[in-house]
């Protein structure tokens, strides 16, 4: 029996795949064609056989499905929810083993499961086990038997047996049959086992999709298990300062309720102070844990946002649709390509292509093998791998935790050893900000520790004893001194042992105030706040530290298409058959303009150009039409291809119909089974073109191929030897090439992307892998021979208008000291046009030589010297990729290419536009800029400033790079900040990036820079506030310890101040929104101290004012205000015999005045550069206002009603006391204005003093006498020199 395989108008009688020969006991018939071809019909070639076999696949699998009563696309819920023949574990086994034997096992399991194993029960002798299948035909397994079900079961059994064969030698006659069997098995798996359809995909019904999710699982891994709130509280309590406070709080309660009581004395509320310490610890722990808890949800939100951008193309109901990775189910038909659908979201089995360029996969992420793996139909494609070249259609077999990558991810999430380094919120290395913060935190913590030790020692003895002991000999002697003076202090001063606890509490509390544990909190809050706000501004931040790094960016290397331009491409010009069609009327399309033109192209010409467009475009580029197909409602895919498809539509041709009517190109419909007869040569950045070959027929037989191609204009022109005119094809001579080049340049000057269209007829035995001897790709490798000597058809000019907000954004970059460089694959003139419109190029970048002659005229008779074109740019302002590579790479003695940093440093200060570039050029640019130390060469820096007015940033370049393609990923990873396009970007680019631009807009990058600088500024504001409190609070505690062996600020009050300046202030100042002035300052220098001179001046000035106020109140307050000294009131017997200590009005006044000075200074700290309007913009930050007012209200409550707990005077303070506290607090505002003026004056005086010294030194050198008498130069010469 033979299966007729349609090849055009005739049939090839090909042995049944040739499984039928096996069934009849003839294993040698695999490659025989029966009957032999007649003399009038050419014998089919090997390719005919492969193509014919491919066309038989659907008939076989459809027949199997039909016989076994399957309804892959059934409409009833019963059919959609019927049980499957295999389960998720069996499919997962195939993905794990990835062998033909595993595929055979799966099909065997499916047969066994079908109808409850009825076939096995009815045929115990034959069985399903392959080793027991007889080679001879019996009545039971004869495929001619009336038992049609048994016939196809036998056919499946034989297919399984053939899958277990070993691979024949490469190039042997049996090799194509070996691969064909796997292809048939893949189709059988799709339709018989998974009830899907290679053409129509799954039924789009939600019922069927949900049933598949229930049966095989969802394509999502359960979210990482969140740490419970109690666990986070426990983690927060591991801070050593908090542990000390807990211990001391417990000791205080024990001491106050036992040893500190006199005989017969009742405790009452004596435990409150120790309890208050514990409550303060609880508050700090709860605040820290709450923030960490919220951070977990922020991470989940970020993850979900990233997942929402991960979309793939699947076929459902015969239509290609975009779905997120999570929505993919087992049985989906997934389309992938190496351009914008490269990442594989689930384990799959490849269905096609059956011929042409094979799909090549990069599996290094899972296997570690860097070599690309070629895939054929029937091969397993693993999740987490990427398509490096080619396209493919595949059926999904395992999703979520059943996939290979999913299992790995699940094991990671379940691991108890997972640490925070795996969290996407943590950076692998320290950013400039974190490096500075680590340094300053170490300094503050060290200083705080020393201060706490000194305070602790001072509470036991006099200052001279401590100074004497500390001066004797370092740390060891200090510890010995501490122990000795502890004994002396207790013995000499007669203090009770319970005072030891008080001393410890005060010392540890000073340490708590000094150690900046709020600094990490401020950083986290600022980064989290900024990242959330940036998302609203179209910047999806993947790594929080990228926010801060962007604030230091000195260079932005940006793409053109879709970033600087709107990515709404429209064909506005076309050169066809010596006629230049340019549509300047925005109200009509180019297609309408061409059809109404007096020199309208012939129908044959229109047919040919629309064929090139429809055939040589990817399946993923599509137009969505209205219900009546009269207009386009939306589109998807590559913007350039979408523009070409729109042109075809406007010319009156339905590109879908054209595709589906072209054998070898149709992927749906009746011709889809012949899809493998075509040959697709996908686009690559090296070739800068894409081609698709479809078979040509004569008398029903393939007699050759026609190759349709599109690509960069200069590439297509160079690869064409003839051109199609109204008179037919003619040789493309020098004049013809010049006309095409001039036309392309005119399009480019108008900012258009110029695309060339061509075709070529090939013989039936054409070698699609052969290389051309002379023609080269842009990367220097040999070009494909089939893509040379083509017939040039025409040029199209695609307009992509500049985004209206781009010029303003680029202008802001230059004001902010950020260089902008454009890296594009477009032609130089197109790149120059867009760069000039956007403001990357200025007039001074062009040469306007007086020697230009009037004879050099451009379009419209204008002189070329007035045209902003590539040829008029100064040296190194624009470079093409090839010239760039030749200059920055040198060839070593062993013939290898080596990067030349010195040559690169001679170019990059001038470079503004890199045209005709490749992704490798991006990587080179990012690497060279990042490694450049040109700023250390002061002579070169001065020369560039003097001769070219180029200012070199005085530190290493911090590079931001944009990218959208898979090949851009290395450059995005190499740059300091990688920006991926959220709309046009591939998944690989998004995975490599730090920030995703949700709108693909350059203006959003500028917004990111502003927010990045705001993060740095917010941390500076918090530091300015915290360090001011540090200086004053620690000094007050030390002075009180030395003077009265008691701090004027009680431990619980210091803890309130600590909470105020750490948690609340960090939240208030970290939420400050960015201001436009941030982009009027230079980038943050990595080597600069985070605490600037002005900040230090502000801190010391405000701290000095606070200390003066507190010292006056401490030592002179009782006399001036008529109150008892606090150190006596709070000491038993302090005011006479029988006096019982109590909370003093004196110390309460000091505490209240101190806090109010901090609150008003918090307003001052909103500004860092001496701004006089300290309240400017405060209404834009309601959180700051709310925290400030809330803190003020709490302070009033603590002072007036917190007497038992917060160590305040009974009844609080009087009205005059409150007025005094508010006045000294508010006086911090005019003090800040005085500091601003004083700083500017001192800076001006210092500058003048330096200038005077310099002039005096120069004058001394001029007039200095030379040995032997006389002076340097005559009096007249000296006079001239001093002018």
């Amino acid at each position: 029996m033979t299966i007729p395989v349609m090849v055009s108008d005739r049939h090839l009688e090909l042995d049944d795949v040739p499984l039928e020969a096996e069934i009849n006991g003839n294993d040698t018939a695999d490659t025989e064609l029966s009957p032999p071809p007649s003399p009038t019909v050419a014998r089919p070639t090997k390719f005919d056989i492969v193509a014919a076999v491919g066309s038989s696949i659907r008939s076989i699998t459809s027949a199997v499905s039909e016989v076994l009563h399957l309804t892959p696309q059934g409409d009833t819920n019963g059919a959609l929810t019927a049980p499957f023949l295999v389960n998720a574990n069996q499919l997962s086994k195939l993905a794990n083993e990835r062998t033909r034997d595993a595929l055979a096992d799966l099909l065997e399991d499916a047969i066994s499961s079908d109808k409850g194993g009825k076939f096995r029960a009815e045929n115990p002798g034959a069985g399903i086990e392959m080793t027991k299948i007889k080679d001879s035909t019996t009545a039971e397994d004869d495929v001619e038997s009336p038992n049609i079900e048994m016939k196809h079961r036998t056919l499946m059994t034989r297919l399984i047996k053939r899958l277990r064969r070993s691979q024949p030698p490469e190039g042997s006659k049996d090799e194509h049959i070996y691969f064909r069997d796997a292809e048939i098995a893949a189709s059988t798996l799709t339709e018989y086992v998974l009830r899907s359809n290679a053409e129509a995909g799954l039924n789009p019904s939600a019922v069927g999709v949900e049933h598949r999710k229930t049966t095989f699982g969802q394509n999502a891994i359960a979210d990482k298990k969140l740490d419970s709130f109690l666990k986070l509280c426990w983690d927060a309590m591991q801070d050593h300062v908090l542990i000390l406070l807990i211990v001391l709080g417990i000791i205080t309660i024990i001491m106050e309720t036992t040893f500190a009581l006199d005989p017969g004395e009742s405790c009452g509320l004596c435990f409150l102070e120790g309890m208050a310490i514990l409550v303060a610890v609880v508050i700090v722990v709860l605040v820290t844990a709450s923030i960490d808890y919220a951070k977990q949800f922020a991470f989940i939100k970020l993850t979900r946002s990233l997942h929402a951008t991960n979309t793939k193309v699947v076929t459902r109901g015969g239509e290609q649709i975009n779905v997120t990775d999570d929505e993919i189910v087992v049985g989906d038909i997934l389309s992938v390509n190496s351009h914008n659908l490269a990442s594989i979201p689930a384990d799959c089995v490849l269905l096609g292509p059956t011929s042409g360029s094979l799909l090549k996969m990069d599996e290094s992420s899972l296997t570690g093998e860097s070599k690309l793996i070629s895939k054929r139909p029937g091969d397993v494609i693993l999740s987490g791998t990427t398509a490096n070249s080619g396209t493919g259609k595949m059926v999904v077999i395992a999703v979520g935790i059943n996939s290979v990558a999913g299992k790995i991810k699940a094991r990671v999430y379940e691991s108890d050893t997972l640490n925070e380094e795996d969290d996407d919120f943590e950076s692998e290395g320290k950013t400039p900000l974190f490096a500075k913060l680590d340094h300053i935190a170490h300094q503050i913590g060290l200083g705080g520790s020393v201060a706490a030790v000194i305070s602790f020692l001072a509470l036991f003895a006099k200052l001279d004893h401590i100074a004497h002991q500390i001066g004797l000999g370092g740390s060891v002697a200090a510890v010995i001194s501490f122990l000795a003076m502890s004994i002396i202090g207790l013995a000499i001063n007669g203090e009770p042992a319970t005072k030891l606890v008080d001393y410890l509490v005060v010392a540890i509390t000073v340490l708590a105030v000094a150690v900046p544990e709020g600094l990490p909190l401020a950083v986290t809050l600022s980064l989290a706040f900024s990242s959330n706000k940036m998302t609203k501004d179209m910047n999806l931040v993947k790594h929080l530290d990228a926010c801060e790094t962007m604030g230091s960016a000195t260079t932005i290397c940006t793409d053109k298409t879709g970033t600087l331009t709107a990515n709404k491409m429209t064909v506005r010009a076309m050169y066809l058959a010596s006629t230049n069609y340019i549509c300047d009327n925005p109200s009509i399309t180019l297609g309408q303009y061409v059809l109404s033109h007096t020199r309208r192209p012939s129908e044959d010409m229109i047919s040919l150009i629309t064929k090139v467009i429809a055939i040589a475009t990817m399946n993923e580029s599509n137009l969505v039409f209205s219900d009546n197909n009269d207009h386009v409602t939306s589109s998807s895919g590559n913007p350039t291809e979408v523009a070409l498809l729109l042109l075809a539509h406007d010319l009156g041709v339905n590109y879908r119909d054209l595709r589906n009517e072209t054998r070898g190109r149709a992927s749906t419909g009746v011709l889809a089974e012949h899809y493998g007869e075509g040959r697709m040569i996908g686009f690559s950045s090296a070739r800068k073109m894409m081609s698709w070959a479809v078979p040509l027929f004569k008398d029903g037989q393939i007699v050759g191929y026609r190759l349709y191609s599109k690509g960069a204009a200069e590439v297509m022109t160079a690869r064409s030897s003839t051109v199609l005119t109204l008179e037919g094809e003619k040789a493309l001579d020098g004049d013809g090439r010049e006309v095409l080049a001039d036309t392309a340049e005119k399009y480019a000057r108008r900012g258009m992307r110029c695309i060339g269209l061509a075709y070529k007829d090939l013989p039936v035995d054409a070698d699609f892998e052969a290389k051309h001897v002379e023609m080269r790709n842009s990367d220097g490798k040999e070009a494909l021979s089939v893509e040379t000597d083509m017939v040039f058809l025409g040029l199209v000019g695609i307009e992509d208008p500049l985004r209206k907000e781009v010029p303003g954004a680029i202008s802001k970059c230059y004001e902010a000291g950020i260089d902008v460089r454009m890296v594009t694959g477009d032609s130089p003139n197109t790149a120059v046009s867009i760069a000039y419109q956007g403001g990357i190029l200025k007039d001074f970048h062009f040469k306007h030589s007086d020697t230009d002659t009037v004879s050099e005229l451009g379009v419209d008779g204008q002189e070329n010297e007035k045209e902003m074109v590539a040829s008029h740019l100064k040296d190194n302002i624009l470079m093409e990729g090839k010239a760039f590579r030749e200059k920055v790479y040198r060839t070593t003695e062993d013939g290898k290419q080596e990067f030349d940093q010195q040559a690169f440093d001679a170019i990059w200060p001038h470079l503004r536009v890199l045209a005709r570039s490749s992704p490798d050029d991006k990587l080179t640019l990012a690497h060279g800029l990042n490694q450049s130390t040109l700023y250390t060469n002061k002579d070169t820096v001065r020369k560039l400033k003097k001769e070219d007015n180029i200012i070199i940033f005085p530190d290493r370049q911090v590079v931001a790079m944009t990218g959208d393609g898979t090949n851009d990923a290395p450059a995005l990873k190499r740059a300091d900040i990688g920006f991926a396009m959220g709309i046009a970007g591939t998944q690989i680019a998004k995975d490599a990036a730090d920030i995703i631009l949700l709108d693909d807009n350059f203006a959003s990058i500028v917004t990111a820079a502003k927010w990045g600088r705001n993060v740095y500024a917010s941390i500076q504001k918090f530091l300015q506030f915290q360090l001011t409190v540090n200086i004053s609070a620690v000094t007050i505690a030390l002075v009180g310890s030395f003077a009265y062996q008691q701090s004027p600020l009680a431990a619980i009050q210091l803890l309130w101040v600590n909470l105020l300046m750490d948690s609340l202030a960090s939240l208030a100042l970290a939420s400050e929104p960015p201001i436009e002035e941030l982009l009027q300052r230079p980038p943050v220098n990595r080597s600069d101290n985070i605490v600037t001179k002005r900040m230090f001046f502000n801190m010391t000035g405000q701290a000095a004012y606070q200390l003066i106020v507190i010292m006056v109140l401490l030592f002179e307050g009782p006399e001036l205000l008529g109150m008892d000294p606090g150190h006596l009131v709070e000491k038993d017997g302090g005011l006479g015999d029988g006096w019982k200590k109590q909370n003093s009005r004196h110390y309460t006044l000091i505490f209240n005045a101190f806090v109010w000075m901090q609150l008003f200074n918090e307003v001052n700290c909103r500004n860092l550069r001496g701004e006089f309007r300290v309240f400017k913009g405060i209404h834009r930050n309601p959180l700051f206002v709310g925290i400030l007012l809330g803190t003020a209200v709490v302070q009033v409550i603590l002072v007036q009603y917190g007497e038992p707990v917060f160590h305040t005077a009974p009844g609080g303070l009087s009205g005059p006391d409150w007025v005094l506290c508010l006045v000294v607090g508010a006086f911090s505002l005019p003090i800040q204005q005085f500091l601003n003026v004083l700083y500017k004056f001192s800076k001006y005086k210092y500058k003048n003093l330096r200038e005077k010294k310099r002039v005096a030194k120069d004058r001394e050198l001029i007039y200095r006498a030379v040995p032997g008498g006389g002076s340097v130069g005559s009096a007249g010469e000296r006079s001239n020199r001093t002018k």
Side-chain angles (χ1 to χ4, degrees), residues 739-752:
V739 170
L740 293 177
D742 290 343
T743 304
E745 185 174 342
K746 290 177 182 178
Y747 291 172
R749 291 180 182 181
R750 297 172 69 116
M752 296 183 187

Side-chain angles (χ1 to χ4, degrees), residues 994-1129:
D994 302 294
I995 299 175
I996 297 175
L997 293 178
L998 299 178
D999 60 351
D1000 292 10
N1001 194 340
F1002 179 85
S1004 298
I1005 302 178
V1006 182
T1007 302
K1010 183 169 65 175
W1011 276 105
R1013 295 188 178 191
N1014 189 65
V1015 169
Y1016 195 86
S1018 296
I1019 303 306
Q1020 286 184 308
K1021 293 172 185 177
F1022 173 74
L1023 276 176
Q1024 181 171 290
F1025 176 73
Q1026 186 184 50
L1027 295 182
T1028 303
V1029 181
N1030 274 355
I1031 295 170
S1032 54
V1034 173
T1035 303
I1036 291 169
L1038 288 175
V1039 170
S1041 301
F1042 297 151
Y1044 304 123
Q1045 289 76 53
Q1046 179 181 4
S1047 172
L1049 301 177
I1052 187 63
Q1053 293 171 352
L1054 284 173
L1055 287 175
W1056 163 242
V1057 171
N1058 189 44
L1059 178 66
L1060 169 69
M1061 75 174 188
D1062 278 353
S1063 301
L1064 298 179
S1066 63
L1067 184 59
L1069 293 172
S1071 61
E1072 280 286 293
I1075 56 177
E1076 290 300 322
E1077 286 79 0
L1078 288 171
L1079 293 178
Q1080 297 172 3
R1081 306 168 188 170
V1084 178
N1085 196 319
R1086 284 174 173 260
S1087 60
D1088 285 349
N1089 196 322
I1090 192 171
V1091 178
T1092 64
K1093 293 179 180 179
R1094 183 182 282 276
M1095 287 173 60
F1096 183 78
F1097 193 82
N1098 291 341
M1099 289 186 300
T1100 53
Q1102 286 287 348
Y1105 164 70
Q1106 294 173 11
L1107 288 173
I1108 290 172
V1109 170
I1110 297 301
M1111 292 303 106
V1112 171
L1113 292 177
L1114 178 62
F1115 295 109
E1116 303 298 330
E1119 182 177 347
L1120 294 175
L1121 301 175
M1123 61 179 66
D1124 294 324
H1127 67 284
L1128 298 179
V1129 175

